[in-house]
Amino acid sequence: MTKDLETFRTETRAWLEENCPPSMRTPMTGEDDAVWGGKNYEFKNPEAKLWLERMGAKGWTAPTWPAEYGGGGLSADENRVLQSELKRINARQPLFSFGIWMLGPVLLEYANEEQKKEHLPKIVRGEIRWCQGYSEPGAGSDLAGLQTKCEDKGDHWLINGQKVWTSYANYADWCFCLVRTDTSVKHEGISFVLIDMTTKGVETRPIKLISGSSPFCETFFTDVKVPKHQMVGRLNGGWEIAKRLLMYERTNISGFGSNTRVDVVDLAKKHVGLEGGALEDRDLRARIAAHKMTERAYALSVQRATEEAKAGGNVSHMASMFKVAGATLNQDRCELMVEAAGNRALGWAGEGFSADDLATTRGWLRSKGNSIEGGTTEINLNVVAKRVLGLRDTQ
Amino acid sequence: MTFTLNDEQRMLKDAARDFFREQAPVTRLRKQRDEKKNGRDPDLWREMAAMGWAGVIIPEEFGGVGLGYVALGAVLEEGGRTLVASPLHSSALAGASALLLAGTDAQKQEWLPKIAAGEVTATIAIDEGAHHAPTKSKMKFDGGKLTGEKKYVADGHIADLIIVAGADALYLVKSDAAGLTRRELITADSRGAADLKFEGVAAQKMNGGADVIDAILDRARIGLAAEMVGQASEAFEITSEYLKTRRQFGQVIGGFQALQHRAAKLFTDLELTRSCVLAALDALDRNSNNIAEYASLAKARASETVHLASNEMVQLHGGIGMTDEHDAGLYLKRARVAEALYGGASFHRDRYASLLGF
């Protein structure tokens, strides 16, 4: 390591030592501990607020974004040092944010200077919470079939239509949204606009899922007036931005929603028991072993892709591949957890089941969405087949 | 962890790829088979040795080039692509590793330079039953003489030097020693192997116990996994090209989504496995403390992946894939043999679970 990086490590370590509150160095106990920020966010823990403020002020919630837009301005090497130092003290992620994972990277690439200056710093500091207005009731996997209408009314855009699966739209301050600006063409008639969720005519309604929770919403737009300057990129040029954003989404989503607090092996040891050092249920043992191997293979592949990207290799195709593999992996893990926990994972609510038991049940049901959200497994397999393997549709 | 090759390793890999494509394509294996050579091809091995490949992991002081396991893995992978039958794995990897890890100074001095030069080929003799079970050896060593049996010894029919594993010790035996009977096996992969019978055969004890046997086996497993990734990659690429040209129902079959998805899944599986094998080879060069874990991971996943790739190769080629004229069958047969050697997927899943403590 160069001398500069060593200095950076020393300084970072000292800063974290001083600024990361003690309760932010403990593992999260559940999804409720995730800090999402935004105008109306209520912090359950004052130290979580402090941690976000301090990290946000440093720009370290988005360490590699340029400092002029509120980011940390760190090089890739410095960021690796920062991440390893955060890991060393088991620091919690200060902010969970679609703005950082998905919107920010495309704004950096496609937005004009004014838009970048307006939105990026607020994302970094967790002041504005974003949701994604992509899917519609009639346009899920066939996303480009979307119909939400956006008309040019001279001094503003007028938006009418409905979105679905808008994660946390009921808590979001703003929405990045795909709209139809030309009905005569499909992909080339889509634009990318930013919408303030408090605008008149925006309405959200949570959707209850099989897991009992409702992170998703339906979002309705009725005669919503959006200022002209809130379109990103050119008119009818939204599809390219949409695809790029999906790539970021797929890269981030593969590990998302996986509550890895309880290890499947520990769970099996607890509920199945050991006989001569091996799980008594030998078939389950073999299947868990195969799963643990895939988990390791996945982790090693992510490491490899990172290394290849650093060496200048083209790893863009990896996003779809990782999305498919990550979803399958998480679903397999959840199935095995339920199986290992036996009747302890069959509860729904009330007494008689521990919080961990209930989390196992709910996590299993939630995981079914992993192969649907962010592009279904089938759509991502299409992407791999076409873009990586060069297999072309013939119709 | 390093997954990318350095310049030296990259040059070696490129040279190996060119060599195997030009000098030893699958037709060479076919020719050996049709001429009933059962894996014997001294001319090919001489050329490979001249490239320095017999001594890739052997240090310079013993006549090798000392480039390590990542480098040898790259050559093995390229050889796997064209199903090359040669003592590269048995001698340059398994035999050389055994001598490096368990040889006495005198044994190293005597044999390593000859192995590095390709003048002598070595192999390791492990199993005594139908399944890989290194701890169940009944080999007896008494007064410098070895008695017992070994089954399905890879290249056991051509090796000059046989490193025999007992339950907790290793022995060095010359293949022309009195009392050693070799029954040559005609095998499905056309490479051949041998069952060996030792009746009071003069043998030299080597250093180390069961741990060293395991360490040697792990090197054999990881190297074979590299070869298997090569086989699986080639099988996959041939199949994926076929999907782009074969027409049915008036269109290329690669246009059918059902087949696109199978190809994409296979590709994903192959990439995940490749990461495991690269990590395992790297673990050997770094002398990592969890080589055993990496070895079982790599061998189990490579076994699954090479079966998937070769089975899909047959199925997606349809009828032509069932013919002897097509190469698909050769990949299928080699996959089965490669899995069985040094522990198949089940063996390594079981071992992996034990290593992880459950």
Side-chain angles (χ1 to χ4, degrees):
Chain A
M1 197 176 303
T2 66
K3 196 160 172 247
D4 285 352
L5 276 185
E6 270 311 322
T7 311
F8 179 73
R9 186 184 291 279
T10 313
E11 289 169 2
T12 301
R13 191 173 289 191
W15 188 87
L16 290 175
E17 205 43 64
E18 192 165 329
N19 288 283
C20 184
S23 66
M24 294 296 103
R25 304 181 194 193
T26 58
M28 291 183 17
T29 55
E31 279 186 33
D32 283 353
D33 285 337
V35 169
W36 288 90
K39 284 181 186 162
N40 305 312
Y41 189 74
E42 285 176 26
F43 288 90
K44 291 185 194 67
N45 175 347
E47 291 191 339
K49 184 162 187 278
L50 202 60
W51 180 223
L52 172 57
E53 281 168 1
R54 288 171 176 172
M55 286 290 276
K58 280 282 242 192
W60 282 0
T61 51
T64 58
W65 292 8
E68 54 181 317
Y69 305 126
L74 300 188
S75 68
D77 282 338
E78 287 169 332
N79 186 32
R80 263 190 289 282
V81 169
L82 171 62
Q83 298 309 324
S84 72
E85 287 303 313
L86 285 164
K87 200 171 171 189
R88 198 179 63 83
I89 60 167
N90 292 315
R92 286 190 194 176
Q93 202 172 316
L95 181 64
F96 286 68
S97 164
F98 297 148
I100 287 172
W101 302 331
M102 289 144 71
L103 178 62
V106 301
L107 286 184
L108 281 168
E109 194 172 347
Y110 294 97
N112 60 37
E113 196 57 24
E114 200 181 324
Q115 290 166 333
K116 288 183 199 173
K117 286 230 149 67
E118 164 72 17
H119 296 291
L120 291 170
K122 293 178 189 167
I123 291 175
V124 171
R125 295 192 300 262
E127 290 169 7
I128 296 291
R129 182 168 179 178
W130 288 84
C131 66
Q132 178 190 41
Y134 268 37
S135 295
E136 296 182 7
S141 288
D142 183 14
L143 181 61
L146 61 94
Q147 296 300 329
T148 293
K149 195 162 51 164
C150 175
E151 296 167 279
D152 188 345
K153 294 291 180 186
D155 64 336
H156 66 270
W157 304 108
L158 188 70
I159 298 181
N160 277 286
Q162 183 196 342
K163 293 288 172 182
V164 72
W165 307 121
T166 34
S167 311
Y168 303 112
N170 46 342
Y171 302 120
D173 304 305
W174 279 66
C175 177
F176 48 92
C177 200
L178 294 178
V179 292
R180 180 152 301 287
T181 35
D182 185 344
T183 51
S184 67
V185 280
K186 193 173 177 182
H187 297 81
E188 294 75 24
I190 293 169
S191 301
F192 190 93
V193 293
L194 308 177
I195 303 172
D196 183 336
M197 292 295 277
T198 60
T199 317
K200 189 168 169 285
V202 179
E203 192 197 336
T204 64
R205 199 181 292 161
I207 304 168
K208 193 170 175 181
L209 296 185
I210 52 176
S211 55
S213 64
S214 54
F216 298 106
C217 291
E218 293 176 288
T219 302
F220 301 89
F221 300 101
T222 312
D223 288 335
V224 175
K225 286 185 184 177
V226 173
K228 275 294 185 62
H229 67 265
Q230 285 171 213
M231 181 175 286
V232 177
R234 60 179 176 83
L235 179 68
N236 296 324
W239 185 246
E240 187 189 335
I241 304 177
K243 279 193 299 183
R244 185 60 58 92
L245 191 140
L246 282 173
M247 192 189 92
Y248 291 114
E249 179 178 9
R250 282 162 192 166
T251 308
N252 277 298
I253 210 170
S254 40
F256 194 70
S258 63
N259 177 3
T260 51
R261 194 157 53 104
V262 180
D263 185 80
V264 60
V265 169
D266 294 336
L267 196 73
K269 279 183 180 171
K270 181 177 163 191
H271 292 293
V272 178
L274 296 175
E275 187 187 78
L279 288 180
E280 282 194 51
D281 181 337
R282 296 306 159 95
D283 176 61
L284 182 64
R285 175 175 182 263
R287 285 185 289 127
I288 292 177
H291 168 73
K292 294 303 280 185
M293 286 185 170
T294 311
E295 195 175 75
R296 191 92 182 89
Y298 182 84
L300 289 167
S301 298
V302 171
Q303 245 180 296
R304 175 157 75 100
T306 311
E307 200 181 290
E308 284 173 2
K310 194 179 146 200
N314 180 11
V315 291
S316 60
H317 67 276
M318 297 294 248
S320 280
M321 209 187 83
F322 284 136
K323 170 68 173 62
V324 171
T328 311
L329 187 66
N330 198 42
Q331 289 173 345
D332 288 349
R333 189 177 63 83
C334 291
E335 292 283 355
L336 287 168
M337 300 227 339
V338 167
E339 214 180 317
N343 63 26
R344 297 295 82 202
L346 303 180
W348 187 252
E351 293 178 15
F353 295 97
S354 70
D356 277 352
D357 293 341
L358 294 175
T360 302
T361 318
R362 305 284 178 119
W364 158 64
L365 289 163
R366 174 65 187 85
S367 74
K368 299 301 164 191
N370 296 160
S371 48
I372 300 170
E373 61 210 346
T376 60
T377 286
E378 288 71 19
I379 287 291
N380 279 298
L381 288 172
N382 284 350
V383 172
V384 175
K386 292 186 180 74
R387 298 222 201 111
V388 184
L389 307 179
L391 297 172
R392 264 178 308 214
D393 279 346
T394 45
Q395 272 160 8
Chain B
M1 192 75 65
T2 314
F3 294 95
T4 43
L5 301 181
N6 62 33
D7 289 345
E8 209 168 28
Q9 293 158 343
R10 162 69 44 200
M11 277 165 62
L12 187 68
K13 188 174 166 78
D14 290 346
R17 176 173 292 215
D18 291 346
F19 176 87
F20 291 131
R21 289 214 182 285
E22 286 157 27
Q23 308 298 322
V26 181
T27 46
R28 184 137 186 174
L29 175 74
R30 217 171 252 291
K31 189 159 173 285
Q32 290 169 15
R33 180 194 70 171
D34 295 344
E35 291 172 358
K36 304 200 187 323
K37 295 281 170 56
N38 211 19
R40 287 184 182 84
D41 196 339
D43 290 345
L44 176 62
W45 181 237
R46 206 171 295 121
E47 289 175 64
M48 287 169 67
M51 307 282 280
W53 298 341
V56 175
I57 60 165
I58 297 174
E60 286 177 31
E61 56 170 315
F62 297 116
V65 289
L67 292 179
Y69 286 93
V70 169
L72 182 54
V75 182
L76 282 160
E77 182 186 333
E78 292 305 324
R81 282 183 171 271
T82 64
L83 301 176
V84 171
S86 80
L88 185 65
H89 183 274
S90 56
S91 188
L93 176 77
S97 292
L99 277 157
L100 286 168
L101 268 64
T104 64
D105 286 345
Q107 287 164 346
K108 287 182 192 173
Q109 293 290 354
E110 183 176 5
W111 296 111
L112 283 172
K114 290 176 185 156
I115 290 174
E119 293 161 15
V120 159
T121 64
T123 190
I124 53 174
I126 306 296
D127 294 311
E128 296 169 19
H131 290 275
H132 183 58
T135 56
K136 290 186 182 159
S137 173
K138 296 197 181 80
M139 198 58 67
K140 291 209 169 30
F141 184 65
D142 191 24
K145 307 271 182 183
L146 207 55
T147 302
E149 282 186 70
K150 289 289 176 187
K151 300 286 184 198
Y152 212 103
V153 177
D155 289 338
H157 62 311
I158 51 176
D160 307 300
L161 195 62
I162 297 160
I163 291 151
V164 182
D168 51 13
L170 288 151
Y171 309 93
L172 214 143
V173 175
K174 287 188 223 169
S175 64
D176 56 6
L180 171 61
T181 321
R182 301 204 261 191
R183 183 206 284 163
E184 184 166 342
L185 303 169
I186 314 287
T187 60
D189 63 348
S190 307
R191 291 197 192 189
D195 285 347
L196 307 180
K197 196 166 186 182
F198 302 82
E199 293 169 298
V201 178
Q204 282 179 16
K205 196 159 184 285
M206 300 175 78
N207 290 330
D211 284 358
V212 176
I213 297 175
D214 227 24
I216 293 163
L217 281 173
D218 280 338
R219 280 150 182 80
R221 289 158 179 158
I222 293 168
L224 193 53
E227 190 186 317
M228 291 160 95
V229 160
Q231 290 157 14
S233 300
E234 191 71 12
F236 170 74
E237 283 163 29
I238 291 170
T239 307
S240 137
E241 280 311 304
Y242 184 72
L243 293 179
K244 292 176 196 170
T245 52
R246 169 71 172 168
R247 297 181 73 86
Q248 292 281 270
F249 303 105
Q251 60 184 73
V252 288
I253 61 174
F256 296 122
Q257 198 179 51
L259 302 192
Q260 290 178 347
H261 285 191
R262 278 164 68 171
K265 279 184 194 163
L266 176 51
F267 172 77
T268 304
D269 186 69
L270 189 53
E271 287 297 308
L272 294 188
T273 297
R274 180 183 299 282
S275 306
C276 296
V277 171
L278 292 172
L281 289 164
D282 182 58
L284 288 179
D285 282 341
R286 285 186 298 114
N287 204 14
S288 149
N289 57 13
N290 50 1
I291 286 170
E293 239 175 81
Y294 278 116
S296 281
L297 175 68
K299 186 65 176 27
R301 283 210 48 107
S303 295
E304 289 164 2
T305 301
V306 80
H307 286 317
L308 183 63
S310 57
N311 282 324
E312 289 287 62
M313 187 182 192
V314 172
Q315 176 66 20
L316 295 176
H317 277 83
I320 185 83
M322 283 299 294
T323 63
D324 181 66
E325 186 192 353
H326 196 270
D327 290 342
L330 298 173
Y331 283 88
L332 189 73
K333 289 179 239 186
R334 177 58 193 168
R336 192 40 76 183
V337 174
E339 170 176 8
L341 290 172
Y342 318 115
S346 300
F347 177 91
H348 286 293
R349 275 194 292 267
D350 180 73
R351 184 169 181 251
Y352 195 74
S354 299
L355 289 167
L356 262 56
F358 69 96

